[in-house]
Amino acid sequence: HYDDGRFDEDRDTLLGSLAWHVVSLVVDPACDLASCEKTLALSEKYDFLYSAVGLHPHSAESDGEGNWLQKVADFSKQGKVVAIGEIGLDYHYDFSPREKQIEVFAAQLGLANDLGLPVIIHDREAHADTFELVKKYRPKGIIHCYSGSAEMAKEFVKLGMYIGFTGSVTFKNANKLLFAAAEVPEDRILLETDCPYMAP
């Protein structure tokens, strides 16, 4: 999430240093309509940076009114957009009502299918509803920053999804994540930073 305000002071320095750190490609996911514009601008500036556009569940209520879906569709046709995301459900914070989260998530899953784009899915304490919607729409993509059970991970993999793990898998109390990671085939695991929100 290099469009985040926490990178305002050193964004160019940081992004300019990635090649030295042997990072050759970056996918920068948006979280709301404003960050869709920001990530598209970053993708124009940096050859190695690609964008994902969409509404995060936290933004479902604030941005998910009017012609928001058409705006996301329009963004998806600009620049170097490679996915619809970050989209999904978050029942931990409930910054948006759950019914609205489900409505906005489902609409974006349908849009991704229509556009032939993969999805980047946020699922926090909403595993059952997330699974049911993924099962219904059958998108391609990633369950990002995975926090569910080993059994659920196996079911997502059966649906063709990749499972993303962040630095939290290294925490001393990460037994549940370790069991989940052990059940995911190596060719279905993605490692991610979720920078600046998660531990590196």
Side-chain angles (χ1 to χ4, degrees):
H1 299 280
Y2 289 110
D3 56 274
D4 189 277
R6 281 176 273 190
F7 291 114
D8 285 351
E9 291 185 13
D10 64 351
R11 181 179 293 108
D12 290 330
T13 301
L14 176 61
L15 289 172
S17 74
L18 292 185
W20 187 85
H21 292 288
V22 202
V23 175
S24 57
L25 294 172
V26 169
V27 177
D28 186 54
C31 291
D32 53 32
L33 295 177
S35 63
C36 286
E37 294 182 359
K38 290 177 182 176
T39 186
L40 287 169
L42 285 175
S43 72
E44 288 180 12
K45 185 171 183 180
Y46 295 97
D47 290 341
F48 59 84
L49 190 146
Y50 293 78
S51 298
V53 294
L55 296 191
H56 188 283
H58 292 343
S59 305
E61 183 173 38
S62 59
D63 278 8
E65 299 295 338
N67 65 341
W68 70 270
L69 189 62
Q70 184 59 53
K71 289 179 181 176
V72 173
D74 291 344
F75 286 136
S76 74
K77 296 166 187 167
Q78 300 175 33
K80 300 174 342 214
V81 173
V82 294
I84 300 297
E86 177 177 344
I87 64 175
L89 303 173
D90 192 308
Y91 293 173
H92 178 77
Y93 288 110
D94 280 327
F95 288 156
S96 297
R98 294 182 182 184
E99 297 78 11
K100 187 65 175 179
Q101 291 185 47
I102 291 170
E103 172 195 324
V104 168
F105 182 30
Q108 292 179 104
L109 289 172
L111 176 65
N113 285 346
D114 290 345
L115 296 172
L117 288 172
V119 292
I120 300 171
I121 294 178
H122 175 100
D123 167 23
R124 186 160 189 191
E125 297 177 20
H127 309 311
D129 285 349
T130 299
F131 179 76
E132 287 305 314
L133 286 165
V134 170
K135 186 176 178 181
K136 177 179 179 180
Y137 286 92
R138 300 293 178 111
K140 299 301 180 192
I142 176 177
I143 307 295
H144 126 87
C145 192
Y146 188 74
S147 61
S149 67
E151 293 75 19
M152 185 68 77
K154 288 193 286 188
E155 294 303 313
F156 278 122
V157 168
K158 286 179 187 175
L159 292 174
M161 300 298 289
Y162 288 82
I163 307 296
F165 294 99
T166 65
S168 59
V169 78
T170 67
F171 293 175
K172 289 181 180 178
N173 63 349
N175 292 335
K176 180 180 170 184
L177 285 180
L178 291 175
F179 286 126
E183 293 296 329
V184 178
E186 287 184 13
D187 64 350
R188 287 289 173 174
I189 289 179
L190 292 177
L191 304 179
E192 51 180 333
T193 64
D194 200 23
C195 182
Y197 304 114
M198 297 294 291

